[in-house]
């Protein structure tokens, strides 16, 4: 705000905004005496074209913000200076595939994070978002389930459909974090990516793909799935 006020206050020739906004071929002229203008975009497809033509001599600074949850999970896997493995297990700690689960079944996801670097990483953030057909068991309130956990993060934030875990990791160290889940609601869903990164160093990160998952009725024949 301080920088903005200096920019506006020091521009004696500022006469307001005057620009042409072309959104997917539809054009409109924007004129405003205010130094800031906000327009809501209405993209209706995965691809959209946006064109802005400034009609004044003053510089025009543009910021486009898009947020939301994609209809399909991101399947891009990348990592740099961090190694991460994601494994799903039943409550007996046997490895399972999470793509088809019976309704009512409890299971776990284990994320193994390894620091291959010669330096320690501080302020790591592990973000896990889960399909809406799965429910998260908050092990901070479940003593029996908490016995299955491995390493404990410095801080953990449980939400309705996701868990954020924050921790530090030393050089060559490996940490394992578990979340206990339940396949609660019938249907097909998308499992988003699992993402771990250093909060203040964008060169340290790892992303593992999600995919389609399904919750079926208990006892349903799996041969055709």
């Amino acid at each position: 705000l301080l920088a903005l006020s200096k920019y506006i206050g020091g521009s004696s020739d500022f006469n307001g905004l005057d620009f042409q906004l072309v959104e997917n071929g539809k054009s409109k002229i924007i004129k405003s005496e205010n130094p800031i203008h906000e327009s809501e975009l209405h993209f209706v497809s995965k691809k959209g074209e946006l064109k802005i033509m400034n009609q004044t001599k003053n510089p025009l600074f543009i910021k486009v913000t898009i947020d939301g949850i994609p209809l399909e999970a991101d399947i891009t896997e990348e990592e740099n200076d961090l190694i991460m493995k994601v494994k799903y297990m039943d409550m007996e700690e046997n490895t399972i595939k999470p793509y088809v689960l019976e309704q009512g079944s409890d299971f776990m996801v284990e994320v193994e994070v390894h620091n291959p670097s010669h330096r320690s990483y501080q302020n790591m953030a592990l973000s896990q978002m889960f399909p809406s057909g799965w429910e998260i068991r908050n092990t901070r309130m479940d003593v029996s389930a908490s016995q299955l956990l491995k390493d404990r993060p410095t801080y953990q934030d449980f939400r309705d459909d996701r868990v954020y875990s924050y921790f530090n990791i030393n050089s060559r160290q490996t940490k394992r974090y578990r979340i206990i889940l339940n396949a609660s609601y019938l249907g097909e869903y998308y499992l988003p990516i699992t993402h771990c990164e250093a909060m203040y160093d964008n060169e340290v990160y790892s992303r593992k793909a999600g995919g389609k998952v399904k919750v079926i009725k208990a006892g349903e024949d799996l041969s055709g799935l």
Side-chain angles (χ1 to χ4, degrees):
L1 289 175
L2 180 61
L4 185 62
S5 64
K6 288 183 177 180
Y7 165 72
I8 297 170
S11 301
S12 57
D13 57 346
F14 179 77
N15 295 316
L17 300 176
D18 185 358
F19 61 94
Q20 182 180 6
L21 174 66
V22 183
E23 180 186 346
N24 288 333
K26 295 182 178 180
S27 175
K28 60 181 178 180
I29 301 297
I30 305 295
K31 292 187 177 183
S32 174
E33 296 181 358
N34 297 321
I36 300 175
H37 175 81
E38 181 176 312
S39 292
E40 184 177 351
L41 305 178
H42 300 89
F43 293 148
V44 295
S45 63
K46 293 183 179 179
K47 295 182 180 180
E49 183 179 62
L50 189 66
K51 185 184 296 183
I52 298 173
M53 289 162 282
N54 188 5
Q55 308 292 350
T56 71
K57 295 181 179 180
N58 296 319
L60 187 64
F61 299 93
I62 309 299
K63 180 178 180 181
V64 179
T65 303
I66 301 174
D67 60 15
I69 299 175
L71 293 176
E72 297 185 356
D74 188 345
I75 59 172
T76 303
E77 292 197 353
E78 295 180 293
E79 60 184 20
N80 189 69
D81 287 341
L82 191 69
I83 299 172
M84 181 172 66
K85 297 179 182 178
V86 181
K87 180 172 65 173
Y88 292 86
M89 299 175 289
D90 61 21
M91 302 305 286
E92 302 299 324
E93 302 186 76
N94 301 308
T95 301
I96 62 171
K97 295 181 179 180
Y99 308 113
V100 180
L101 296 169
E102 289 188 347
Q103 185 181 30
S105 57
D106 291 322
F107 62 103
M108 296 182 287
V109 55
E110 179 182 276
V111 177
E112 178 183 291
V113 182
H114 176 68
N115 177 7
S117 171
H118 64 278
R119 61 191 179 99
S120 297
Y121 297 148
Q122 306 296 315
N123 302 305
M124 299 295 295
L126 172 62
S127 303
Q128 297 170 268
M129 183 184 295
F130 301 106
S132 55
W134 297 359
E135 283 196 344
I136 302 167
R137 287 177 57 179
N138 190 336
T139 46
R140 293 180 302 186
M141 303 173 63
D142 190 336
V143 177
S144 61
S146 65
Q147 297 175 358
L148 294 168
L149 304 182
K150 292 292 185 179
D151 294 304
R152 304 296 178 99
T154 304
Y155 178 75
Q156 204 163 40
D157 184 6
F158 284 80
R159 306 289 180 91
D160 288 341
D161 64 345
R162 66 199 68 190
V163 178
Y164 299 117
S165 303
Y166 304 94
F167 59 95
N168 300 325
I169 186 167
N170 295 326
S171 172
R172 315 298 181 185
Q173 187 178 17
T174 298
K175 291 194 172 183
R176 295 177 178 86
Y177 299 107
R178 289 180 175 180
I179 301 295
I180 299 179
L181 304 159
N182 178 271
S184 302
Y185 305 104
L186 299 175
E188 295 185 9
Y189 307 94
Y190 253 98
L191 172 65
I193 64 170
T194 299
H195 184 202
C196 188
E197 63 180 347
M199 295 171 63
Y200 305 109
D201 185 351
N202 58 13
E203 295 297 320
V204 179
Y205 63 87
S206 180
R207 291 186 282 269
K208 293 300 179 183
K212 291 182 179 180
V213 298
K214 189 173 184 178
V215 178
I216 63 172
K217 292 181 179 180
E220 185 175 332
D221 184 10
L222 301 177
S223 60
L225 301 174

